[in-house]
Amino acid sequence: MSIKNFHGIYAATIVPMKQDGTIDKTILINHLKEISSVNGIKGLLINGHAGENHILSQDEQVELVKITRSVVSNDTLIVSGLNAECSKIGSEVAKKMIDNGADSIMIFPPFSWGLSYDEDLIFNHHNIIAKTIKSPIMIYQASINAGSMAYKSNTLERLINISEVIAIKEGSWETSKYDFNRRLIKNLRPEVAVMASGDEHLLSCFMIGSEGSLVSLAIIIPEAIIGLYQSIISNNLKEAMNYHNVIYPLAKAIYGTTPASYATARLKTCLKLIGKIPNDKMRSSMNSLNNIEINNLKAAMTLAGIKY
């Protein structure tokens, strides 16, 4: 598959849970079918941060790939996140994901990397997985606020030169850093897709330049995300600003409000409010959002024109 085939808008999905914390497969299938059928959605990012990849078991993550491939159309691309501390285990899981229908693997930095920065370890981890599966790889560039989980320029240069790398989800969450990293990557390997992230500033990242985005807000307001991207491509700034004004309040309420760790819970609460999922249960020990949080989300949804 050529690199350009991966360009476009991907919805980063959640995993609906039953009250006992097990995966609600019926609701999950509905979730996957509905969002993947939206005109303009290129594919899905499953097992991402929004999909609670750090909490699901390896078997569950592989099963999610299998379920997704069985219910979406053949032309819907599946990018599966991989969050593994051990490169060998990660390689084995990634191979199972590819064998069960994933088109690409997005390698997330394990949370332990936040304790210290080791460039050789980071490179070796990606390279071992890439050479094991021999399939398209996407890199995840963490936020500038993520400490040593955010890759330095020298490290990005090494990672981009792994031949299996076809894209990067650039989540620096700061537009000047996004611009810098995009220029760096395009100078090294112009064919590698730089996918915008950071829902609060998709407009500015798209205007700087992007081959698409893998974004969780697309599960709530897919038409606005797709419309923004297409407006920038067609140089219609007025239309783009209209879409941005729909996206921004919701992005701010979900991702731009502390604590940032509540983002997935906020996504689930929004989906519950609009009747897409029956409850906002998280796999972790996190409680349901309090009334202040819920009212903040309701206000943002009202500004975005979403009925609940």
Side-chain angles (χ1 to χ4, degrees):
M1 183 176 292
S2 63
I3 289 176
K4 66 179 181 181
N5 291 124
F6 283 92
H7 298 184
I9 300 298
Y10 296 71
T13 59
I14 54 96
V15 180
M17 301 288 181
K18 297 179 181 179
Q19 286 297 339
D20 62 1
T22 59
I23 298 174
D24 192 327
K25 293 180 182 178
T26 300
I27 302 300
L28 171 66
I29 289 171
N30 292 339
H31 175 60
L32 297 170
K33 282 183 175 179
E34 180 177 24
I35 192 59
S36 65
S37 66
V38 175
N39 186 34
I41 289 291
K42 180 75 173 186
L44 303 178
L45 168 60
I46 62 174
N47 291 320
H49 286 154
E52 300 177 74
N53 64 11
H54 56 295
I55 289 178
L56 298 180
S57 72
Q58 293 157 6
D59 288 343
E60 286 176 322
Q61 292 178 51
V62 173
E63 185 180 17
L64 278 170
V65 175
K66 187 174 183 179
I67 291 172
T68 304
R69 185 75 280 167
S70 70
V71 300
V72 302
S73 65
N74 290 333
D75 60 351
T76 298
L77 295 181
I78 299 174
V79 179
S80 180
L82 179 73
N83 196 336
E85 297 285 347
C86 173
S87 305
K88 182 178 184 298
I89 293 174
S91 297
E92 294 169 354
V93 174
K95 182 66 166 58
K96 291 178 182 178
M97 289 172 170
I98 293 294
D99 289 345
N100 280 280
D103 297 289
S104 176
I105 300 297
M106 179 180 291
I107 302 176
F108 286 88
F111 291 122
S112 67
W113 291 3
L115 299 175
S116 63
Y117 195 93
D118 185 328
E119 183 175 305
D120 288 337
L121 183 151
I122 294 168
F123 174 80
N124 291 339
H125 183 75
H126 285 79
N127 196 46
I128 289 169
I129 295 169
K131 300 311 178 188
T132 298
I133 67 174
K134 295 180 174 63
S135 295
I137 293 292
M138 292 190 183
I139 297 169
Y140 180 84
Q141 175 67 9
S143 165
I144 58 173
N145 297 315
S148 56
M149 291 174 68
Y151 305 139
K152 299 175 184 178
S153 299
N154 289 344
T155 309
L156 271 181
E157 290 184 17
R158 293 181 67 185
L159 294 177
I160 289 300
N161 281 313
I162 296 173
S163 59
E164 288 80 7
V165 170
I166 52 88
I168 177 171
K169 178 177 165 71
E170 213 302 328
S172 289
W173 220 267
E174 202 274 330
T175 50
S176 63
K177 188 63 175 176
Y178 174 88
D179 194 2
F180 178 89
N181 285 341
R182 178 176 172 80
R183 292 172 186 269
L184 172 70
I185 292 162
K186 291 300 182 180
N187 284 334
L188 292 169
R189 287 185 62 197
E191 73 276 17
V192 171
V194 179
M195 314 291 273
S197 186
D199 307 57
E200 296 168 82
H201 45 252
L202 284 177
L203 171 67
S204 51
C205 290
F206 284 166
M207 290 184 70
I208 290 169
S210 176
E211 282 70 53
S213 184
L214 305 107
V215 57
S216 58
L217 277 186
I219 63 175
I220 301 174
I221 45 173
E223 292 83 3
I225 303 294
I226 295 163
L228 175 64
Y229 182 58
Q230 294 177 344
S231 296
I232 296 298
I233 291 175
S234 61
N235 293 313
N236 190 335
L237 182 58
K238 181 178 180 181
E239 185 177 69
M241 282 301 302
N242 289 336
Y243 284 120
H244 175 66
N245 289 332
V246 171
I247 295 167
Y248 185 80
L250 205 53
K252 192 68 176 174
I254 292 173
Y255 285 102
T257 304
T258 56
S261 58
Y262 283 18
T264 299
R266 291 167 183 151
L267 287 168
K268 286 190 170 184
T269 297
C270 287
L271 290 174
K272 176 185 175 182
L273 287 171
I274 60 178
K276 300 295 185 182
I277 59 176
N279 65 72
D280 51 8
K281 175 69 177 178
M282 297 280 289
R283 170 62 66 84
S284 71
S285 57
M286 184 181 296
N287 295 322
S288 296
L289 299 180
N290 60 36
N291 287 335
I292 295 175
E293 283 274 0
I294 293 173
N295 289 335
N296 189 36
L297 291 173
K298 287 181 175 179
M301 292 169 72
T302 298
L303 288 172
I306 302 172
K307 296 181 180 180
Y308 55 88

